[in-house]
Amino acid sequence: LTQDPSFQANAWSLRRIFRRRGFWDNLVRVLDAEARFAALPARRDRASLLVDKGRVLADRLGRRPDGRAAFLAALDIDADHPAALVSLLVEASTAGPAEALERALAGLARVAGTARAKATFVCALARAERARGTPEAFAHAADTLHRALTSGADLPMLLAELERLSLLAKRPEL
């Protein structure tokens, strides 16, 4: 299949037909084959196919763990793929483990285009880390915020979150 020049065009046509008719299982198979065998020019393209596969699995077939696995596989290919990060964030915030949510927030903070967006994701990441409830969780959240202070994120937001964290932990040294 990797040598067939018509594979991608045929796969695209099949995807369109299966999507229109609601043949979701068949669409997943085509997306999987295309991600594995198509001669794609960039890793980001392969990751995009896995994101599409994950969305179909999670949203149309109700197979959330399989959808999350597809999003994680896309991030293994391209760690800064925005659609994979957002999809993982949505999936993890509704039904996923804390680690998946933290990975998505950390990735979105890394690729954020503005200082305010970066600070927003870092603050959300620190809150997610803090939510674990262990004594180390507060220290880990504080460390995340301290690292972000030098990353170009919005300082007032980060400092306010750091102050909030130290009040909740009842540890002013954070």
Side-chain angles (χ1 to χ4, degrees):
L1 288 176
T2 56
Q3 303 300 320
D4 184 3
S6 67
F7 174 70
Q8 250 180 307
N10 291 333
W12 186 82
S13 297
L14 286 172
R15 281 195 295 161
R16 207 174 76 215
I17 290 168
F18 291 154
R19 193 175 304 263
R20 268 196 212 147
R21 294 191 179 165
F23 295 161
W24 306 117
D25 285 320
N26 292 340
L27 179 59
V28 168
R29 287 186 194 102
V30 169
L31 287 167
D32 201 28
E34 195 173 359
R36 286 180 26 213
F37 300 117
L40 299 170
R43 294 179 344 184
R44 184 155 282 203
D45 296 331
R46 197 169 305 282
S48 293
L49 288 171
L50 290 172
V51 170
D52 288 346
K53 176 185 171 185
R55 287 180 178 159
V56 171
L57 287 167
D59 299 340
R60 299 296 184 170
L61 295 173
R63 293 167 38 194
R64 295 201 172 284
D66 294 335
R68 189 178 322 113
F71 301 143
L72 291 170
L75 289 172
D76 288 341
I77 293 171
D78 183 0
D80 292 336
H81 192 281
L85 290 167
V86 170
S87 296
L88 183 61
L89 176 67
V90 169
E91 181 61 31
S93 64
T94 58
E99 295 82 17
L101 179 64
E102 291 171 11
R103 181 175 179 183
L105 288 168
L108 287 167
R110 207 174 39 250
V111 301
T114 65
R116 188 144 180 87
K118 183 182 281 283
T120 300
F121 289 123
V122 169
C123 290
L125 175 59
R127 288 183 200 126
E129 292 169 345
R130 182 185 75 212
R132 290 185 179 205
T134 63
E136 302 86 37
F138 283 96
H140 197 262
D143 184 51
T144 297
L145 290 167
H146 282 290
R147 281 193 319 259
L149 289 172
T150 61
S151 70
D154 187 39
L155 287 179
M157 279 183 75
L158 294 175
L159 293 173
E161 186 65 27
L162 202 53
E163 182 178 356
R164 191 174 306 121
L165 181 66
S166 67
L167 290 172
L168 287 170
K170 296 179 180 151
R171 293 177 50 197
E173 73 275 4
L174 288 179

